[in-house]
Coordinates of all heavy atoms in Angstrom, one line a residue:
D31 N 56.9 -96.0 -47.3 CA 57.1 -94.7 -46.7 C 57.8 -93.7 -47.7 O 57.8 -92.5 -47.5 CB 58.0 -94.8 -45.4 CG 57.3 -95.5 -44.3 OD1 56.1 -95.6 -44.3 OD2 58.0 -96.1 -43.4
D32 N 58.4 -94.3 -48.8 CA 59.0 -93.4 -49.8 C 58.0 -92.7 -50.7 O 58.4 -91.8 -51.4 CB 59.9 -94.3 -50.7 CG 61.1 -94.9 -49.9 OD1 61.5 -94.3 -48.8 OD2 61.6 -96.0 -50.3
L33 N 56.7 -93.1 -50.6 CA 55.7 -92.5 -51.5 C 55.4 -91.1 -51.0 O 55.1 -90.8 -49.9 CB 54.4 -93.3 -51.5 CG 54.5 -94.6 -52.2 CD1 53.2 -95.4 -52.0 CD2 54.7 -94.4 -53.7
P34 N 55.5 -90.1 -51.9 CA 55.2 -88.7 -51.5 C 53.6 -88.6 -51.3 O 52.9 -89.2 -52.1 CB 55.6 -87.8 -52.7 CG 55.7 -88.8 -53.8 CD 56.1 -90.1 -53.3
P35 N 53.2 -87.9 -50.3 CA 51.7 -88.0 -49.9 C 50.9 -87.0 -50.7 O 50.1 -86.2 -50.2 CB 51.8 -87.6 -48.5 CG 52.9 -86.6 -48.4 CD 54.0 -87.1 -49.3
F36 N 50.9 -87.0 -52.1 CA 50.1 -86.1 -52.8 C 48.8 -86.7 -53.2 O 48.6 -88.0 -53.2 CB 50.8 -85.7 -54.1 CG 51.0 -86.7 -55.2 CD1 50.0 -86.9 -56.1 CD2 52.1 -87.5 -55.2 CE1 50.1 -87.9 -57.1 CE2 52.3 -88.5 -56.2 CZ 51.2 -88.7 -57.1
T37 N 47.8 -85.9 -53.4 CA 46.5 -86.3 -53.9 C 46.2 -85.7 -55.2 O 46.7 -84.6 -55.5 CB 45.4 -86.0 -52.9 OG1 45.4 -84.5 -52.6 CG2 45.6 -86.7 -51.5
L38 N 45.3 -86.3 -56.0 CA 45.0 -85.8 -57.3 C 43.6 -86.1 -57.7 O 43.1 -87.2 -57.3 CB 46.0 -86.5 -58.3 CG 45.9 -86.1 -59.8 CD1 47.3 -86.2 -60.4 CD2 45.0 -87.2 -60.5
K39 N 42.9 -85.2 -58.4 CA 41.6 -85.4 -58.8 C 41.4 -85.0 -60.3 O 42.0 -83.9 -60.7 CB 40.6 -84.6 -58.0 CG 39.1 -84.8 -58.3 CD 38.2 -84.1 -57.3 CE 36.8 -84.3 -57.7 NZ 35.9 -83.6 -56.7
V40 N 40.8 -85.8 -61.1 CA 40.6 -85.5 -62.5 C 39.2 -84.8 -62.6 O 38.2 -85.5 -62.4 CB 40.6 -86.7 -63.4 CG1 40.4 -86.4 -64.8 CG2 42.0 -87.5 -63.2
N41 N 39.2 -83.6 -62.9 CA 37.9 -82.8 -63.0 C 37.2 -82.9 -64.4 O 36.0 -82.9 -64.5 CB 38.2 -81.4 -62.6 CG 38.8 -81.2 -61.2 OD1 38.2 -81.8 -60.2 ND2 39.9 -80.6 -61.1
T42 N 38.1 -82.8 -65.4 CA 37.5 -82.8 -66.8 C 38.4 -83.6 -67.7 O 39.6 -83.8 -67.4 CB 37.4 -81.4 -67.4 OG1 38.8 -80.8 -67.4 CG2 36.6 -80.5 -66.5
F43 N 37.8 -84.1 -68.7 CA 38.5 -84.8 -69.8 C 37.9 -84.6 -71.1 O 36.6 -84.7 -71.2 CB 38.6 -86.3 -69.5 CG 39.4 -87.1 -70.5 CD1 40.8 -87.1 -70.6 CD2 38.7 -87.8 -71.5 CE1 41.4 -87.8 -71.5 CE2 39.4 -88.5 -72.5 CZ 40.8 -88.4 -72.5
K44 N 38.7 -84.3 -72.1 CA 38.2 -84.1 -73.4 C 39.1 -84.8 -74.4 O 40.3 -84.6 -74.4 CB 38.1 -82.6 -73.8 CG 37.5 -82.3 -75.1 CD 37.5 -80.8 -75.4 CE 36.9 -80.5 -76.8 NZ 36.8 -79.0 -77.0
A45 N 38.4 -85.6 -75.3 CA 39.1 -86.3 -76.4 C 38.5 -85.8 -77.7 O 37.3 -85.7 -77.8 CB 39.0 -87.8 -76.2
T46 N 39.4 -85.5 -78.7 CA 38.9 -85.2 -80.0 C 39.4 -86.2 -81.0 O 40.5 -86.8 -80.9 CB 39.4 -83.8 -80.4 OG1 40.8 -83.8 -80.4 CG2 38.9 -82.7 -79.5
F47 N 38.5 -86.5 -82.0 CA 38.8 -87.5 -83.0 C 38.5 -86.9 -84.4 O 37.7 -86.0 -84.6 CB 37.9 -88.7 -82.8 CG 38.0 -89.3 -81.5 CD1 37.2 -89.0 -80.4 CD2 39.0 -90.3 -81.2 CE1 37.3 -89.5 -79.2 CE2 39.1 -90.8 -79.9 CZ 38.2 -90.4 -78.9
A48 N 39.3 -87.4 -85.4 CA 39.0 -87.0 -86.8 C 37.6 -87.5 -87.2 O 37.3 -88.7 -87.0 CB 40.1 -87.6 -87.7
T49 N 36.8 -86.7 -87.8 CA 35.4 -87.0 -88.2 C 35.2 -87.4 -89.6 O 34.2 -87.8 -90.0 CB 34.5 -85.8 -87.8 OG1 35.0 -84.6 -88.5 CG2 34.5 -85.5 -86.3
D50 N 36.3 -87.2 -90.4 CA 36.1 -87.6 -91.9 C 37.5 -87.9 -92.4 O 38.5 -87.8 -91.8 CB 35.5 -86.4 -92.7 CG 36.2 -85.1 -92.5 OD1 37.4 -85.1 -92.1 OD2 35.5 -84.0 -92.7
G51 N 37.5 -88.3 -93.7 CA 38.7 -88.7 -94.3 C 39.2 -90.1 -94.0 O 38.5 -90.8 -93.3
P52 N 40.3 -90.5 -94.6 CA 40.8 -91.9 -94.4 C 41.1 -92.2 -92.9 O 41.1 -93.4 -92.6 CB 42.0 -92.0 -95.3 CG 42.4 -90.6 -95.5 CD 41.2 -89.7 -95.5
Q53 N 41.4 -91.2 -92.1 CA 41.7 -91.4 -90.7 C 40.6 -91.1 -89.8 O 40.8 -90.7 -88.6 CB 43.0 -90.6 -90.3 CG 44.2 -91.1 -91.0 CD 45.5 -90.5 -90.4 OE1 45.4 -89.6 -89.6 NE2 46.6 -91.0 -90.8
R54 N 39.4 -91.3 -90.3 CA 38.2 -91.0 -89.5 C 38.2 -91.9 -88.2 O 38.5 -93.1 -88.3 CB 36.9 -91.3 -90.3 CG 35.6 -91.1 -89.5 CD 34.4 -91.3 -90.4 NE 33.2 -91.0 -89.7 CZ 32.5 -91.8 -88.9 NH1 33.0 -93.1 -88.6 NH2 31.4 -91.4 -88.3
G55 N 38.0 -91.3 -87.1 CA 38.1 -92.0 -85.8 C 39.4 -92.0 -85.1 O 39.6 -92.4 -84.0
A56 N 40.5 -91.5 -85.8 CA 41.8 -91.4 -85.2 C 41.9 -90.3 -84.2 O 41.2 -89.3 -84.3 CB 42.9 -91.2 -86.3
A57 N 42.6 -90.6 -83.1 CA 42.7 -89.6 -82.0 C 43.5 -88.4 -82.4 O 44.5 -88.5 -83.1 CB 43.3 -90.3 -80.8
R58 N 43.0 -87.3 -82.0 CA 43.7 -86.0 -82.3 C 44.3 -85.4 -81.1 O 45.4 -84.8 -81.1 CB 42.7 -85.0 -83.0 CG 42.4 -85.4 -84.4 CD 43.6 -85.2 -85.3 NE 43.4 -85.6 -86.7 CZ 43.8 -86.8 -87.2 NH1 44.4 -87.6 -86.5 NH2 43.6 -87.0 -88.5
S59 N 43.6 -85.5 -80.0 CA 44.1 -84.9 -78.7 C 43.4 -85.5 -77.5 O 42.2 -85.9 -77.6 CB 43.9 -83.4 -78.7 OG 42.5 -83.0 -78.7
F60 N 44.1 -85.6 -76.4 CA 43.6 -86.0 -75.1 C 44.0 -84.9 -74.1 O 45.1 -84.6 -74.0 CB 44.1 -87.4 -74.7 CG 43.8 -88.5 -75.7 CD1 44.9 -89.1 -76.2 CD2 42.5 -88.8 -76.0 CE1 44.7 -90.2 -77.1 CE2 42.3 -89.8 -76.9 CZ 43.4 -90.5 -77.5
D61 N 43.0 -84.5 -73.3 CA 43.3 -83.3 -72.4 C 42.5 -83.5 -71.2 O 41.3 -83.6 -71.2 CB 42.9 -82.0 -73.1 CG 43.4 -80.8 -72.4 OD1 43.9 -81.0 -71.3 OD2 43.3 -79.7 -73.0
A62 N 43.3 -83.7 -70.0 CA 42.6 -83.9 -68.7 C 43.0 -82.7 -67.8 O 44.1 -82.4 -67.6 CB 43.1 -85.2 -68.1
G63 N 42.0 -82.1 -67.3 CA 42.2 -81.1 -66.3 C 42.2 -81.6 -64.9 O 41.2 -82.2 -64.4
V64 N 43.3 -81.5 -64.2 CA 43.4 -82.1 -62.9 C 43.8 -81.0 -61.9 O 44.3 -79.9 -62.2 CB 44.5 -83.2 -62.9 CG1 44.3 -84.2 -63.9 CG2 45.9 -82.6 -63.1
T65 N 43.4 -81.3 -60.6 CA 43.9 -80.5 -59.5 C 44.6 -81.5 -58.5 O 44.2 -82.6 -58.4 CB 42.7 -79.8 -58.8 OG1 41.7 -80.8 -58.4 CG2 42.1 -78.8 -59.6

């Protein structure tokens, strides 16, 4: 009963990665649009 009754939906998600250089494939950002 202590749980607050909120709801959440993930509408969009975008991840960007390095495309070249020694860190190719390393994550640069994660961004989720939620309501």
Side-chain angles (χ1 to χ4, degrees):
D31 294 336
D32 296 333
L33 288 173
F36 71 87
T37 58
L38 180 146
K39 184 176 181 180
V40 182
N41 301 307
T42 60
F43 179 78
K44 183 179 180 181
T46 58
F47 305 91
T49 57
D50 53 21
Q53 293 192 349
R54 182 179 184 273
R58 288 291 178 259
S59 66
F60 303 118
D61 193 350
V64 304
T65 54

